[in-house]
Amino acid sequence: MINTFFDTSLEFLKGVGPIKSKLLFKELGLKTYRDLIYFFPFRYTDRSKYLNINQIQSVNIDVQLKGKISQIEIIGSGRKKRLIFKFEDSTGSIELVFFKRISWIKKFIKKDQIYVVFGKPNSFNSKFSIIHPEIELYEKLKNLPQQSFCPVYHSTELLRKNNLNSRGILKLMNELFIKSKKLIEEENLSDNIIKKNNLLKRSEAVFNIHFPENENLLSRAIYRMKYEELFFLQLSILKNKSINHKNKSFKFREIGKHFNSFFYDSLLFELTGAQKKVMKEIRKDLLSGFQMNRLVQGDVGSGKTIIAIMSFMICADNGFQSCLMVPTEVLAFQHYNSLTSLCSNSNLNIALLTGSTKLSERKEILEKLDNGNINIIVGTHSLIQPNIKFKNLGLVVIDEQHKFGVAQRASLSQKGITSPHILILTATPIPRTLAMTFYGDLDVSVIDEMPPGRKQIKTVHKFDKDDDAILSFLLDKIKQGEQAYVIFPLIEESEKLDYKNLISGFNKLQNYFSQHNISLSMLHGKMKSDEKNEQIERFVQNKSKIMISTTVIEVGIDVKNASIMVIENAERFGLSQLHQLRGRVGRGNLQSYCILKTPYKLTHDAKYRMNILVESSDGFEISEADLRLRGPGDMLGTRQSGMLNLKIANLVKDGNILTIARHDAQNILDEDFNLIDIQNKSINRYFAKNLHQKIKWMKIS
Ligand code: ADP
Ligand code: MG
């Protein structure tokens, strides 16, 4: 391959050299001219004006000053050693303080020269000072553009030590742009798209991101680069989506005895309109001859399980095996139980396979999967081990998808020889912009209606001091025949301490309720699965009245008689998780309650979370708020969002650009799927070079 200008190693840029080029790579991943050009500023500051020192008023806002150093002083020693400059202009003076790199700075800074100082002032004893400001000779700065929108680049401690702070990087950028002149890379969008969206040309946008000529051009430049990034991301996702749709799969033509006997004999309620609509969509997919790749989104309690079961029945009617994969053993056990009881009149063979299935039993199950004696298998991710073979796997249902990683979603679906149909259920209603990206390759059905008769769960925020009142409330309700959950946090970092809390919480409740002959259950991740199942069974059968548990029960557990959810240390949970936990109650006709318990002193953020939950029961609203608080990475697992590697666009903030870009990408694919039209030449060239590999992880089959 010919080395183009943009592939040149940064080593050869004036002012870099071998040592700095290694550092730039190690610290920021920048290797070539191109890498540097696409290393965008993360914010801009006003460097066009100088403030008089006597005009400084507020702390924590960047100021730029021009003046001289009149005094140099080193005080303290060891760790407390610091270098202090007295810096003055004609109106007053201010202290500049350095804790690090003292000898290095001292060597370069001279009295009686004019310097430009930039940083955020602090106020101490009503005197202003700036800690670790940028300081540079006025003389040297003259060559750099002094703008109202001066770019600020990320740097690191090591880079700063080597003179590559944000300013240092800007100098390199300047050098590079002088060198590249008009060589900026080719356009990668089509004229049509540029015109339609009134976008800046690529070269203009890239230039203005680093050296904005004015505010308008800067915002258009940012818009253009965000658009471009999201457009190619969506193009890639949508391409995958259509390719998936072309995967051949089994046609399920029969609606036969399994489905009918379930529907007419076992199903005790009328399906909601939303459930019917989703079933129709699934039915259509299963008849198409192509692989179903469908995501069903529905808030906790909206009735997704029934959808899965009816799909299993159709699969069985057509002579195929199906599999239900869930994230926890507890949930696997519960789904297995309800499936076996709902299908007790049928001759379907249903099996459970988890990490704690005994070896001999496991061997037998594997054999039966292979010879077709098992119709439906329920399991945890132990279902995706490579030694598991199915005779004719026709349908895979993944429940509570948000708990799985993408990789697991992908590897399960490779099992069958022809692609099995795939149905994914998720209760975390993800905001639309995220769904378009993370599940953008799937068809989406939404269950937007709750089964009838549900009462709104009453949510309250209480403090630890309200313990007695909470206990007597619980006692009251239990005497009326209802049941409750009490949840304790358990997170890995403080596992031991949390475990102690759980046990002492259990003992406290035990002491209180044993006086009233009320029996309790306890559940936590460290228990053996037999023990867990026993505890759950006692609770399901209403033999124990309170389930004291860690978040193992967060997903899926369904006990209609449980009407109270107490969450201890609620401030330690995220919004979506709290909403999921709350969803364990209010599953029948009983008026249900959720009590969020926290210490009295709370962070601002925690207060905000409690308020949202008290005020809202709408999963979408809550997930939007969660997204704003935590960002997409945390919501879907850092690994998944990290893989997208977005340079400038933000899935949370740029939802409107994303929507437009996705729409444009879809239009182009509709007209010219292979991008062979001359009009789409630049899109095709860029896509082929940069993107076809990138989103592979999203592909399901
Ligand atoms: P989720 O969507 O959280 O998985 P489930 O499938 O567990 O919800 O259903 C929640 C509860 O609602 C279950 O007890 C289920 O039997 C019940 N349910 C589901 N659909 C209906 C319906 N159409 N009418 C009445 N109850 C329903
Ligand atoms: Mg469920």
Side-chain angles (χ1 to χ4, degrees), residues 269-272 275 299-306 451-452 454 558 560 587:
F269 41 73
E270 170 96 5
L271 294 181
T272 62
Q275 284 169 323
D299 212 343
V300 260
S302 61
K304 295 180 293 294
T305 314
I306 299 300
R454 296 277 171 84
D558 183 38
K560 287 196 178 60
R587 302 176 80 83

Side-chain angles (χ1 to χ4, degrees), residues 188-189 193 227-243 436 440-441 658 661-670 672-675 680 682-688 691-692 695:
N188 58 10
L189 295 174
I193 287 201
Y227 177 94
E228 168 186 321
E229 194 164 44
L230 294 170
F231 172 82
F232 281 104
L233 177 65
Q234 290 300 327
L235 194 68
S236 169
I237 291 168
L238 290 168
K239 234 175 183 240
N240 269 336
K241 181 173 173 181
S242 341
I243 292 166
M436 278 193 279
D441 55 340
L658 178 66
R662 181 173 168 97
H663 184 77
D664 289 348
Q666 184 65 64
N667 276 347
I668 287 190
L669 291 177
D670 287 347
D672 179 21
F673 188 77
N674 293 313
L675 306 172
N680 296 327
S682 19
I683 296 177
N684 190 13
R685 192 174 37 219
Y686 186 83
F687 186 75
L691 274 125
H692 61 182
I695 321 286

